[in-house]
Amino acid sequence: MAFKSLSQPRIRLADQVYDQIMQAIRDGSISTEDRIVQEKLADEFEISRTPIREALFRMEQEGILELAGRGGFRIRKLDEAEIAEMYGARSAIEGSAARMLAEAGDKATCAALRARITRAEDMTENTVQAYFDANRSIHRAIVEATRNRFLLEFFDNIWNRGSSFTLFASIQFVDLSKSLGDHMSLIDAIETGDGWAAAEKMILHIHDGKELQMRGL
Amino acid sequence: MAFKSLSQPRIRLADQVYDQIMQAIRDGSISTEDRIVQEKLADEFEISRTPIREALFRMEQEGILELAGRGGFRIRKLDEAEIAEMYGARSAIEGSAARMLAEAGDKATCAALRARITRAEDMTENTVQAYFDANRSIHRAIVEATRNRFLLEFFDNIWNRGSSFTLFASIQFVDLSKSLGDHMSLIDAIETGDGWAAAEKMILHIHDGKELQMRGL
DNA sequence: ATTGAGAATACTGTATACAGTATACTACCA
DNA sequence: TGGTAGTATACTGTATACAGTATTCTCAAT
């Protein structure tokens, strides 16, 4: 049997709607001021409200949207306390990931991560968005390397949240080459095999990002 | 004006359905074999499919249910690898929580946690369910004490998952008084103020639970 | 007894219709 | 001009209706 299964697992409208709205939030077509109304979206997409509702509720549950009484949904804004907690959660997840990788002590994984970092650093365009994507993809690769689906899910949850698109990315204040170099020394720490040291390094790295972020507010 | 606000934030049917199904899974009224069909539930609840769908999709997203083609949803079963990852994720979340608490070094919090543990230990009935609840509530209190909403959310996500109701609770093999005593020494470790030591203690404690669990499989 | 065609069934996903309620709008009265 | 009553509007949540598609079932043919 050389045929690929034709059964398309699911091409639900709700999924497509989800992706598109997500994209719209990312590129700023939907701002934090905008009200997000089911009927409006249904009109735009030229489908019924049902799949829209589904996508919207999903985003609410993920903490990306919040509902504003009868005024529909809106993008969830994070206050300063919540942003701090976010960085705390990142420390927990990504710090633990670093620890686990160090304890696992797999050279091949480290090599792969290094390659990944080099590739991510090699940005063609020098925009905030590009830097954000590169940074995210590096951090994600580290969590991914633990092969722990839960951690990866939590990682994505955090990074998708609210306006975190712009969060974590106050590039205007950051020395690009330094930041990216930091990632390599993160792998160094992992490679030594000392779990706690690796975790600490990661936590400090995230803390640096937080300082930068907070200064930008 | 002596009247209490009547505005009930939201009493959506979907929420009630969610709670009830959750409860049914917990107490075993719905088993992993059962197919969960929207229409059937709608009949039982005597409401339309719409709120049922919403609740079901929410549970799917939380990883509690999975959909089985046209056969509706079913309870998601975890394979051994996934269970291991689950414990890994617990180590990350709860270990980090212990570290954070230790670093914060708040005596009052520790005292409150001790009180909580004593209270939780004081079980009236000696069932698996009671032990599970007590254990969960103790661990949850520790995460709660970090006042980090993300960590708490992730904690709940893990503990609500799949058949984790019975997971984490292989009481038949466990020495109750020892296990519960362990919790106190966990607080001891936190109280010393050494973040890494506290994290390690928590991770070991969780590891013990895992060993127990795996033996039971 | 097995196989295959065709119909019946049992689901889902999507669209539409309806009812209720908070907000916005208007016009009247002080 | 300010405030209030009454009405229109703009939303949501829920119910219902419809279409499509796997699955299961039935039954005849080999």
Side-chain angles (χ1 to χ4, degrees), chain B residues 164-175:
Chain B
S164 62
F165 306 115
T166 58
L167 218 67
F168 302 160
S170 32
I171 192 178
Q172 49 269 40
F173 307 109
V174 87
D175 176 352

Side-chain angles (χ1 to χ4, degrees), chain A residues 79-81 83-85 87 170 209-217:
Chain A
D79 56 32
E80 208 158 328
I83 293 175
E85 289 169 35
Y87 277 99
S170 33
K210 179 182 172 187
E211 289 301 304
L212 234 49
Q213 178 68 41
M214 290 307 196
R215 214 184 311 150
L217 287 179

Side-chain angles (χ1 to χ4, degrees), chain A:
Chain A
M1 164 74 110
F3 296 116
K4 214 172 75 178
S5 166
L6 289 181
S7 78
Q8 308 146 28
R10 272 207 285 180
I11 22 139
R12 294 191 295 162
L13 287 178
D15 292 342
Q16 299 170 236
V17 169
Y18 177 90
D19 290 340
Q20 293 218 34
I21 298 180
M22 207 68 171
Q23 186 55 42
I25 294 177
R26 257 194 228 101
D27 68 23
S29 324
I30 302 179
S31 86
T32 47
E33 314 305 328
D34 292 326
R35 291 188 321 159
I36 298 171
V37 173
Q38 301 178 1
E39 252 168 11
K40 292 268 174 55
L41 287 174
D43 279 355
E44 282 198 46
F45 283 109
E46 301 187 286
I47 60 176
S48 82
R49 262 173 55 214
T50 314
I52 306 276
R53 276 180 66 81
E54 201 181 310
L56 254 29
F57 278 124
R58 189 163 144 211
M59 295 176 101
E60 187 204 7
Q61 205 194 344
E62 287 172 348
I64 296 163
L65 300 180
E66 66 186 355
L67 72 165
R70 79 282 107 236
F73 288 86
R74 77 165 85 86
I75 295 179
R76 180 130 179 274
K77 269 211 292 279
L78 305 166
D79 56 32
E80 208 158 328
E82 211 161 358
I83 293 175
E85 289 169 35
M86 212 150 158
Y87 277 99
R90 279 193 58 197
S91 295
I93 302 295
E94 300 175 36
S96 298
R99 171 177 59 76
M100 288 170 176
L101 289 178
E103 286 167 358
D106 180 351
K107 297 291 176 197
T109 302
C110 291
L113 284 174
R114 283 188 205 283
R116 198 92 146 62
I117 291 172
T118 308
R119 189 145 32 88
E121 280 184 19
D122 183 23
M123 299 181 289
T124 49
E125 32 174 11
N126 222 329
T127 64
V128 176
Q129 186 65 42
Y131 169 73
F132 174 71
D133 288 343
N135 192 41
R136 172 179 184 151
S137 108
I138 290 171
H139 282 261
R140 192 171 194 278
I142 292 173
V143 177
E144 213 171 358
T146 65
R147 313 191 126 275
N148 185 311
R149 280 161 282 188
F150 293 89
L151 291 184
L152 191 58
E153 202 179 291
F154 297 154
F155 176 93
D156 284 332
N157 184 298
I158 295 174
W159 282 72
N160 279 338
R161 213 110 173 187
S163 355
S164 62
F165 306 114
T166 58
L167 217 68
F168 303 160
S170 33
I171 192 178
Q172 49 269 39
F173 307 110
V174 88
D175 176 352
L176 246 187
S177 58
K178 176 190 172 302
S179 160
L180 293 173
D182 278 1
H183 290 139
M184 279 302 181
S185 57
L186 224 40
I187 308 296
D188 290 343
I190 289 173
E191 211 154 19
T192 63
D194 182 339
W196 300 118
E200 178 148 42
K201 189 116 196 170
M202 176 62 91
I203 292 173
L204 288 176
H205 173 69
I206 292 172
H207 186 75
D208 283 351
K210 179 182 172 187
E211 289 301 304
L212 234 49
Q213 178 68 41
M214 290 307 196
R215 214 184 311 150
L217 287 179

